[in-house]
Every structure is written in structure tokens, then in C-alpha cells.
Amino acid sequence: MQLDNKVKKRILLIEPSLMVCKGFAHIVDDMIGYQLVATSLNVGRLQEQIVSARPDIVVFNPQIMSLQHRTSIRSFFNIPSEMALVALVYSFVDEWILSQFDAVLTVNDDQTQIVHKLSGIKRTVNTSVKSENEELSERENEILECIVKGMTNKEIAEKHFISIHTVITHRKNIVRKTGIKSVSGLTVYALLNNIITYEDIE
Amino acid sequence: MQLDNKVKKRILLIEPSLMVCKGFAHIVDDMIGYQLVATSLNVGRLQEQIVSARPDIVVFNPQIMSLQHRTSIRSFFNIPSEMALVALVYSFVDEWILSQFDAVLTVNDDQTQIVHKLSGIKRTVNTSVKSENEELSERENEILECIVKGMTNKEIAEKHFISIHTVITHRKNIVRKTGIKSVSGLTVYALLNNIITYEDIE
DNA sequence: CCTATTATCCTCATTTATGGGGATGGTGAA
DNA sequence: TTCACCATCCCCATAAATGAGGATAATAGG
């Protein structure tokens, strides 16, 4: 028993992988209460599609664009607040990015999980933006880069022509700001925040 | 103009994501000269399917299994040498793992790229296996897991009911075998070798 | 049986890192 | 100007890791 189209939630999918696009379409096709009204392999026509397709839900792969600068996805793409913004990811994505979404789908989700996640969305208009005064300073990023490369405090000090005490101070501040104590955690943080790449290490 | 089934290359797909499975099936469906004869969301029935489906090409997502021990995928799953072994990956995978495959497809490939990659496969029977006597033992992998999770030697010792000296010995052996001294390097090593996932850290 | 590997334990000395405190000068914004 | 932030430097004590030795027992393979 299919529901009337008028009560079906309209989904717009922005996903770079043709394969995932097709698979998503196939799955949504079998889902009651949802319909895929448009898809796109890139973000170029997003605004246009939002207007033309008038989706209720925008499913968006954040990996499609480089979000180094912590821009708000919703405001960057002028996505109306009444539309749900849902992420579709392959693997791990920075929590900060995911926090912008009303729900997070992964490519491994099956139909049941997707329906469950989509039905759990409660759209509320965000009025205030969280204060993010805990970002690392430029210097701290430099030090962090050295840390995750496996350099010792002494080496870092020598490289930057500062005393080891300063390095330790920076480290203390990095730990305080990020809340991450372990080097491995910081490594992941640095990888996710594009401070370093895999190639930088080892 | 469809080719006869007898000359179509038979593809077996082992892929954990239903979405990607569906999408892959959809794409292969439009490809001339290839047919998808079976799919599976896990490796459990791989051997069985190799026998029953008799594929020419086994498309396998290496992320489906944890390959801590640098085992040969082909020999582990008893994949006959006449069958092509092709990887399907989402993002970054250790080069060592990819080197075992005859071709590497990514989820972002379109039909043209997939056909191009599959048609370029030249199967050659490997007679000799590389010597890999520098693999980490099971215990060492356990210790490594703890290290990259940011645990101290003391904590690791307590968790595994061994003395801190033993932990240190294991660490020394891990460093010797991998040639990686820094925690960040080991973190990347562990990530690439599926000993841990991003979620394990922080 | 012998050998290689592994896992376990130990000492000692040295180097690094951590966590707590504090201080100074500079800069840019309210 | 004052205030917040940043980069720089320092002291202290403790905790942790490193590097270089050595040792024993179990186990699996040739």
C-alpha cells in the first residue's frame, strides 16, 4: 500500500559517486513515504535544484567539497531552514562537519536504518551560532604538525628556534583547546582538519 | 547489441554496503560484456560463491575484513589464480593491500572507468610469495591497538594482565618490525592496516 | 630433536613528557 | 585605554618512555 505522493518526503541527493547515487536511488525506491526527486553528482546545481525540486530533505555528501574553513554548509548553499540537511558519508568525517547535519547516513546503512534516521529528524531553526573560540592558533597548528610527525619537544624547539618550554606551553594549550591528550588522537585530529596528510607521516 | 552470455565476463561482488552493491549492480547492468552473477554483503559465503557462481572476476572490498596480518587475500580465500581479483574501495586503502589486486575500482568510478580498468586486467599466476617475516604477532597487534588509542604502558599492562616490562618489550619489537618510531606513525600504520578505526580514537 | 619464534619477565640509566604554577611583551579590538 | 589573546620564556616535581642489556618457558615446524 503506497502512500499518496503528496505526503511523501521529497529527497534531493548530492553525491559524487554514480555508484552510490544509483544504489541510494534503488533503496529509496523501496522505501515507503520517501521519494527521490533529484540527484546530482556535484554541487554546481545545488541552489537551482533546491528551488526546482523543492525537497524536504537534502542528502549531501560533505566529502564532495573541501570544507577547510569550517563554513556553515547550510548558509553557504542557502539551504532553507525548513529543509532537513542530511549527510551521506562513506567513512569517517570530522564531527564538526557532521554536527551541521540533522542526520548522518552512511553508505553501509540498509533501508531500515535509513528510514529510522530520516524519520527521527526534528527540524529546528538555529538562531545562534556556537562560539568556537577554541580554535588553534597558527603557531599551535605548526606545533601540532610537528607533534603528529613524531618530533620530540626538543626537535620542535630547534626547528622553530624557540625554547623547549615554549613548545611545552603550546602543547599544553593544544591539549586544553582540543581536549585531546594522546598523540594518536591528535594525529587523527590533524588528519581530519587537513593540518597534515598521510604522506607527511612515517 | 548485446553479446552472448557465454562471452560475458562473470563478476562476483563482495561488498558490505547494500547501497554500493545496488549501485554497482545497476552500473554493471549497463555494461556490455560483463554480468554480475552474484553479490554478497560479507565474506562468509565467499568460497562457496566462488564455486557456485564461477566468476571470472571477483570484486572485493578489502575494507570488509580486518587484514591485520598482511595475509594474502587470494590465498586466504582460496581464490583460483585464473580469476581476476579486483578491489572496490571508498577512499584510502593501504598500498600493500591494493598491490594484491589486479585492478582497483573506486566508488567514484563511472561506467567508462570501470570498463577501462576491468578490460586492462592481465592475469598472471604468482608462483612465489614474498617473504614477510616481519609481520606483527597477534599479541603485538593488541599492544599496538592500545598504543594508538593513547594508553600508557602502565594502562596497557593492567589491561592485559602483564607487566609493564612486557609491554615495553612488545613495543620495542613493534618498532623494530615496522621501522616506525613515532606514535603518530604507528597510528597511521594501524589505520591503514585496519587494526583500528577512526572511531576507536579520541 | 633442534631451532625459531613468541610471550613473558627483569635491571639500570637516561631522556621525554606531563601538569602545576608563574611571568613578560606584543597586538588588536571593544 | 583596558582587556583578551597570543607567543615567548622559566621553575618544579612526577610520570612515562626509551635503549641496551639479559633471561625463561612454551610452542610449532622442519
Side-chain angles (χ1 to χ4, degrees):
Chain A
M1 186 173 81
Q2 289 282 19
L3 295 177
D4 186 19
N5 274 359
K6 282 179 183 171
V7 299
K8 276 192 179 180
K9 294 275 189 182
R10 302 167 63 82
I11 299 176
L12 166 63
L13 173 66
I14 313 293
E15 161 60 48
S17 160
L18 177 66
M19 205 181 290
V20 174
C21 257
K22 298 275 189 188
F24 187 86
H26 198 283
I27 290 175
V28 172
D29 210 42
D30 286 342
M31 277 162 47
I32 295 171
Y34 295 90
Q35 61 176 325
L36 193 61
V37 290
T39 65
S40 179
L41 294 173
N42 56 66
V43 290
R45 292 175 57 242
L46 179 50
Q47 270 103 342
E48 180 195 326
Q49 284 180 311
I50 285 175
V51 176
S52 61
R54 296 306 302 168
D56 301 298
I57 301 168
V58 179
V59 177
F60 181 94
N61 187 335
Q63 290 154 302
I64 210 170
M65 59 179 293
S66 55
L67 293 163
Q68 295 102 328
H69 300 301
R70 297 214 156 190
T71 41
S72 161
I73 294 168
R74 188 178 283 277
S75 59
F76 188 80
F77 290 113
N78 292 316
I79 298 171
S81 57
E82 69 270 17
M83 294 182 189
L85 183 59
V86 175
L88 173 63
V89 300
Y90 299 165
S91 51
F92 193 77
V93 173
D94 188 5
E95 256 191 33
W96 184 88
I97 291 174
L98 294 187
S99 70
Q100 297 189 65
F101 292 88
D102 300 304
V104 177
L105 308 178
T106 82
V107 83
N108 289 302
D109 288 342
D110 61 24
Q111 197 177 303
T112 314
Q113 293 167 306
I114 292 173
V115 170
H116 182 259
K117 287 178 177 179
L118 291 184
S119 62
I121 297 173
K122 304 230 177 333
R123 267 275 68 214
T124 56
V125 180
N126 284 330
T127 47
S128 66
V129 180
K130 265 188 281 182
S131 63
E132 298 139 15
N133 44 8
E134 286 307 85
E135 289 188 23
L136 299 187
S137 70
E138 215 171 299
R139 195 54 156 177
E140 284 159 353
N141 273 324
E142 286 172 26
I143 304 298
L144 175 56
E145 194 183 323
C146 294
I147 294 170
V148 299
K149 281 180 183 171
M151 295 170 72
T152 67
N153 290 341
K154 197 178 170 188
E155 288 169 341
I156 298 171
E158 282 162 1
K159 173 174 178 178
H160 289 286
F161 306 106
I162 57 178
S163 102
I164 192 171
H165 307 290
T166 309
V167 177
I168 291 169
T169 304
H170 287 312
R171 292 190 71 145
K172 282 192 279 197
N173 289 329
I174 290 168
V175 169
R176 181 180 52 76
K177 286 183 178 178
T178 63
I180 304 168
K181 287 174 192 286
S182 70
V183 176
S184 43
L186 289 174
T187 305
V188 173
Y189 176 91
L191 284 169
L192 296 178
N193 288 278
N194 295 316
I195 296 166
I196 53 153
T197 66
Y198 279 107
E199 288 74 24
D200 291 329
I201 306 178
E202 291 183 60
Chain B
M1 187 173 77
Q2 289 281 22
L3 296 177
D4 186 20
N5 273 1
K6 283 179 183 173
V7 299
K8 275 192 181 180
K9 294 275 188 182
R10 302 167 63 82
I11 300 176
L12 166 63
L13 174 66
I14 314 293
E15 161 60 49
S17 159
L18 177 65
M19 204 179 290
V20 174
C21 257
K22 298 275 190 189
F24 188 86
H26 198 283
I27 290 175
V28 171
D29 210 44
D30 287 342
M31 276 162 48
I32 295 171
Y34 296 90
Q35 62 176 326
L36 192 61
V37 290
T39 65
S40 180
L41 294 173
N42 57 66
V43 290
R45 293 175 57 241
L46 179 51
Q47 270 105 341
E48 180 196 323
Q49 286 182 310
I50 285 175
V51 176
S52 61
R54 296 305 304 166
D56 301 298
I57 300 168
V58 179
V59 178
F60 181 93
N61 188 334
Q63 289 154 303
I64 210 170
M65 60 178 292
S66 54
L67 293 162
Q68 297 100 328
H69 303 300
R70 296 215 156 193
T71 42
S72 161
I73 295 168
R74 187 179 283 278
S75 60
F76 188 80
F77 290 112
N78 290 318
I79 298 171
S81 56
E82 67 270 17
M83 294 182 189
L85 182 60
V86 175
L88 173 62
V89 299
Y90 299 166
S91 50
F92 192 79
V93 174
D94 188 6
E95 257 192 33
W96 185 87
I97 293 174
L98 294 186
S99 70
Q100 296 189 66
F101 291 89
D102 300 304
V104 178
L105 308 179
T106 82
V107 83
N108 288 302
D109 289 341
D110 61 23
Q111 196 176 302
T112 314
Q113 292 167 306
I114 292 172
V115 170
H116 184 258
K117 287 178 178 179
L118 291 185
S119 62
I121 297 172
K122 302 222 178 341
R123 268 274 67 215
T124 55
V125 180
N126 285 331
T127 47
S128 66
V129 179
K130 266 187 280 180
S131 65
E132 300 136 16
N133 43 9
E134 286 306 85
E135 288 180 30
L136 298 188
S137 71
E138 215 171 299
R139 193 57 155 176
E140 284 159 353
N141 273 322
E142 286 172 26
I143 304 298
L144 176 56
E145 194 183 323
C146 294
I147 294 171
V148 298
K149 280 180 182 170
M151 295 170 71
T152 67
N153 289 343
K154 198 178 171 186
E155 288 169 341
I156 298 171
E158 282 163 2
K159 174 173 179 179
H160 290 286
F161 306 106
I162 58 177
S163 101
I164 193 170
H165 307 289
T166 309
V167 177
I168 291 169
T169 304
H170 287 312
R171 292 190 71 144
K172 281 191 281 198
N173 289 329
I174 290 168
V175 169
R176 181 180 52 76
K177 285 182 178 179
T178 63
I180 304 168
K181 287 175 192 286
S182 70
V183 176
S184 43
L186 289 174
T187 305
V188 173
Y189 175 91
L191 284 169
L192 296 179
N193 288 280
N194 294 314
I195 295 166
I196 53 151
T197 67
Y198 279 107
E199 287 77 18
D200 291 328
I201 306 177
E202 291 185 59

